[in-house]
Amino acid sequence: MRPLRWISLWILLVAPAAAAASSELQDIRLWAGPESTRIVLDLSAPSRYTLFTLSDPERVVIDLERTHADLTKLGTTVVGGAVTAVRIGDRGGGTLRIVLDLGAKVTPKHFETPPNETYGHRLVVDLGLANLPPKPARVVTAPSGARDLVIAIDAGHGGEDPGAIGKAGTREKDITLAVARRLADRINAEPGMRAVLTRNGDYFVKFRDRTRRARENQADMFISIHADAFTNRAVRGSSVYVLSKGRASNEAARILADRENAADLIGGVSLDDKDNVLASVLLDLSQNAAISASRDAAAYVLTELDQVGQLKKSEVQHASLVVLTSPDVPSMLVETAYISNPDEERRLRDPGHQQRLAEAIHKGVRRYFYDNPPAGTRVAMLAARERGQPLRHVVAQGETIGDVAGRYAVSADALRRQNGINGERLATGTVLVIPTGT
């Protein structure tokens, strides 16, 4: 009886695997971003594969075992980013070879992903550029002259991740990018503000890379644009989310466990040379301030969205969202509408409504910063002028007349005259009135 048991076990283990190994390459899709090119191979079933690189010229080779393809139906002219051509051939023995010809040296990463509501089995290959220019160092000293506020705008989803899809086929990733671009245009037209987009095309950006890009640009605020969905198509309305305290605590633990990582700075201060207690206190203070500012700014945006359409939630919501976890940048996620609702889907496709959404978010952001202007910014000067109030500056230790004048882009003589001061040195704690002229 023992041999029969072994035969039965062999059938159970091998037969299903062999059946699952036969696969068809159904499509090849590509998205090119500024730092990486993503290739997605759509398969009818999981396939064992081998991936390696070749040089002179640069190539990535993928061998798919027990896989076939109908080359007459399969488009192989997909190019973009680092990929200059795609070649497919049968190696024999049931192995399908795909060669990606490259225009630059890359560092490939690859993984398999199971089916979801939109796609079946996929092999994803990310071709990260191997020779990216060095990232600019974060500037922690005050720049010369009053600075612009930086608003990071994040278009949700992108590339192979379409997000939610409406009944009429509208993809969330397209709506979020359209609204994000319109919002960036409004921000850039606002004196004293400048917008940066975490993505400006149809490609996917990882969640933590979105917040990293905001922090690299020293953003004063991070806004992620989305369109909600629900199984009940009658549900509708806008919502605004900020980070929950529970998620913030989890993120704090992650940062403290890896605080030598240069990306994890708190207000420009590295934690890697701080003891556990001090690092924890600094992080907690920074997170609490960021969440409080996020909640206040989100309330302004929610009020403005109420003028454009119906609200799903009339109060700011808290959620455990990775994209909101930057520890020192106030962040919010705006659900513009329910793309699953046919009426709201139709409105989201309308360029005029996209513009109204962008203007509402912009108005909310502007109102928040004019009521809470960061010191040393053009908005602080403009807000004081708008209210008919003088702009004041509290002298920090070591600051001189020249330092303060340069910070606010006024002349040192005008600053002296305004405050009745002779000489260059200033006492710490002195309150100076900043002149409106030069």
Side-chain angles (χ1 to χ4, degrees):
M1 294 297 294
R2 178 175 296 176
L4 289 177
R5 285 200 299 270
W6 278 108
I7 291 172
S8 300
L9 182 60
W10 183 88
I11 292 173
L12 288 172
L13 292 178
V14 177
S22 180
S23 179
E24 179 184 5
L25 176 62
Q26 298 173 321
D27 197 7
I28 300 177
R29 295 176 287 124
L30 177 147
W31 289 274
E35 298 179 4
S36 180
T37 301
R38 171 165 286 192
I39 294 283
V40 178
L41 307 181
D42 289 305
L43 301 163
S44 63
S47 175
R48 296 181 62 179
Y49 69 95
T50 303
L51 184 148
F52 57 94
T53 59
L54 297 172
S55 298
D56 299 325
E58 299 294 333
R59 289 155 288 167
V60 168
V61 180
I62 308 164
D63 285 338
L64 299 169
E65 297 181 14
R66 296 181 59 82
T67 303
H68 64 281
D70 185 344
L71 300 185
T72 64
K73 298 180 180 179
L74 190 66
T76 58
T77 59
V78 179
V79 296
V83 179
T84 59
V86 177
R87 294 179 284 128
I88 302 176
D90 187 349
R91 290 200 66 208
T95 297
L96 189 69
R97 169 162 289 188
I98 301 170
V99 179
L100 307 178
D101 293 330
L102 308 173
K105 188 175 181 61
V106 301
T107 303
K109 295 181 180 180
H110 48 91
F111 58 92
E112 296 175 280
T113 185
N116 59 22
E117 295 179 356
T118 307
Y119 300 110
H121 296 278
R122 287 152 290 158
L123 172 59
V124 180
V125 182
D126 285 329
L127 307 175
L129 296 177
N131 298 313
L132 282 172
K135 295 182 176 66
R138 181 175 176 132
V139 179
V140 296
T141 56
S144 177
R147 69 176 181 85
D148 287 343
L149 292 171
V150 179
I151 312 299
I153 304 170
D154 173 54
H157 306 280
E160 69 157 341
D161 176 14
I165 299 177
K167 187 176 181 181
T170 309
R171 300 179 301 186
E172 182 182 1
K173 68 173 182 178
D174 299 327
I175 299 302
T176 61
L177 183 58
V179 174
R181 285 172 171 169
R182 292 177 185 277
L183 177 57
D185 288 342
R186 292 296 296 119
I187 294 293
N188 287 330
E190 177 71 41
M193 293 188 188
R194 178 171 61 88
V196 294
L197 289 164
T198 61
R199 74 174 176 96
N200 197 14
D202 187 15
Y203 50 87
F204 182 76
V205 180
K206 296 177 182 178
F207 292 133
R208 295 196 189 281
D209 285 346
R210 296 170 189 258
T211 56
R212 173 182 60 80
R213 293 179 185 185
R215 304 186 77 254
E216 286 174 355
N217 283 279
Q218 302 177 65
D220 296 274
M221 181 169 288
F222 177 91
I223 304 171
S224 190
I225 309 295
H226 288 258
D228 218 334
F230 193 61
T231 52
N232 182 353
R233 294 189 183 276
V235 176
R236 61 190 304 147
S238 303
S239 305
V240 183
Y241 292 83
V242 299
L243 187 65
S244 68
K245 186 60 181 175
R247 181 68 199 220
S249 298
N250 292 340
E251 188 68 9
R254 186 190 72 84
I255 292 174
L256 290 171
D258 186 27
R259 63 178 185 265
E260 293 183 7
N261 187 333
D264 289 329
L265 304 173
I266 308 302
V269 178
S270 176
L271 297 179
D272 63 353
D273 59 346
K274 308 297 188 295
D275 64 41
N276 288 340
V277 174
L278 179 56
S280 179
V281 169
L282 290 173
L283 183 55
D284 191 51
L285 288 172
S286 180
Q287 282 191 325
N288 287 341
I291 291 176
S292 177
S294 300
R295 186 170 54 248
D296 293 343
Y300 282 86
V301 170
L302 195 63
T303 299
E304 295 299 331
L305 286 172
D306 193 22
Q307 307 304 309
V308 176
Q310 180 177 321
L311 296 180
K312 174 66 167 64
K313 297 287 186 179
S314 59
E315 296 181 352
V316 175
Q317 304 298 297
H318 294 75
S320 179
L321 301 167
V322 176
V323 78
L324 299 179
T325 53
S326 182
D328 58 349
V329 179
S331 305
M332 71 179 80
L333 185 145
V334 179
E335 295 283 8
T336 53
Y338 273 81
I339 201 170
S340 52
N341 179 293
D343 290 337
E344 293 207 326
E345 178 187 9
R346 186 163 49 252
R347 296 179 74 197
L348 287 172
R349 294 168 66 103
D350 176 19
H353 186 65
Q354 294 171 4
Q355 185 66 28
R356 288 188 288 274
L357 287 169
E359 290 175 355
I361 298 169
H362 161 255
K363 287 179 183 177
V365 170
R366 186 187 189 279
R367 284 183 56 204
Y368 168 76
F369 278 118
Y370 266 69
D371 286 351
N372 305 274
T377 63
R378 287 179 62 200
V379 166
M381 300 176 68
L382 293 167
R385 187 180 303 167
E386 190 175 274
R387 292 191 294 266
Q389 299 173 343
L391 182 64
R392 303 178 187 276
H393 175 82
V394 180
V395 176
Q397 184 175 2
E399 277 190 317
T400 66
I401 282 284
D403 294 332
V404 179
R407 183 185 184 101
Y408 293 96
V410 298
S411 72
D413 288 341
L415 187 61
R416 290 191 187 94
R417 287 195 302 272
Q418 180 72 50
N419 294 276
I421 294 175
N422 294 316
E424 183 71 13
R425 301 185 65 180
L426 296 168
T428 301
T430 300
V431 179
L432 299 178
V433 176
I434 307 301
T436 56
T438 57

